[in-house]
Amino acid sequence: MSEILLDIPDQIASERLIIRSPMPGDGPAVYAAAAASLDALRAFPASMPWAMEEVSVDSLETFCRQSRVDYLARKGLTMLLFLKDGGHFVGVSGLHKLNWKHKQTELGYWCHSELQGLGLISEAVRAICAFSQQELGLRRIACLAGVENLSSRRVAERAGFQLEGILRNERIAPGGSLRGSALYALAN
């Protein structure tokens, strides 16, 4: 069966979060969080290359609309995270580089800087991984976290990912230090 025929819900939930596909009109909320978090996002250029570019309401509305198209086409499953209580935008996560034939994907995530440290991204990652394995039948989920991004690495570890190795020389940082990514994987 072709992946386009898969019935994938537009929304899942965890204890504190609504996790859903982007929709037209979500750009302003994503922009507000990205603009408030830009310094933190730009600290990890290897894993957040989009944050190195100019962000605007229009660029992030375009991102939301394209992500919606990709979601419907089953090419990528970007998901926006909202608090159940009050509907406040938390961040973005999702499945990228989906390989339906081999049942594998990559997971990414970022959080509004004002909401970091509350365990919301860990909760979202656990919910998305459980959904991916149980409902979509994915067997391998990889996660690349910046070597210096200890909070991102903790998220992967708390979700049950195992460190497979360190990828070096992805990007040379100012001052000559080498940056790389920690490759984590979750296998079913």
Side-chain angles (χ1 to χ4, degrees), residues 149-166:
N149 191 343
L150 299 180
S151 61
S152 183
R153 294 182 68 177
R154 279 192 296 273
V155 165
E157 291 163 0
R158 287 183 188 135
F161 284 77
Q162 299 297 314
L163 180 64
E164 288 192 340
I166 304 293

Side-chain angles (χ1 to χ4, degrees), residues 8-9 11 13 19 42 46 140 168 183 188:
I8 299 175
Q11 176 176 303
I19 302 165
R42 286 181 172 166
R140 179 179 164 80
R168 297 269 182 215
L183 172 62
N188 193 5

Side-chain angles (χ1 to χ4, degrees), residues 3-4 12 26 89 95 99 103 109 117 119 138-139 154 177:
E3 60 270 7
I4 198 78
I12 61 173
D26 283 333
F89 179 77
L95 307 174
N99 183 324
K103 305 250 184 234
Y109 45 83
L138 298 177
R139 292 191 301 256
R154 279 192 296 273
S177 66

Side-chain angles (χ1 to χ4, degrees), residues 131-152:
F131 169 75
S132 300
Q133 292 176 319
Q134 295 164 11
E135 303 299 322
L136 303 179
L138 298 177
R139 292 191 301 256
R140 179 179 164 80
I141 304 169
C143 177
L144 290 170
V147 170
E148 295 99 353
N149 191 343
L150 299 180
S151 61
S152 183

Side-chain angles (χ1 to χ4, degrees), residues 15-43:
E15 181 181 339
R16 298 178 290 171
L17 298 169
I18 298 295
I19 302 165
R20 68 165 173 81
S21 170
M23 301 297 282
D26 283 333
V30 177
Y31 171 75
S37 308
L38 213 48
D39 288 341
L41 295 169
R42 286 181 172 166

Side-chain angles (χ1 to χ4, degrees), residues 44-60:
F44 305 104
S47 54
M48 299 287 176
W50 64 269
M52 302 303 117
E53 300 173 15
E54 187 69 31
V55 295
S56 66
V57 173
D58 284 348
S59 70
L60 290 172

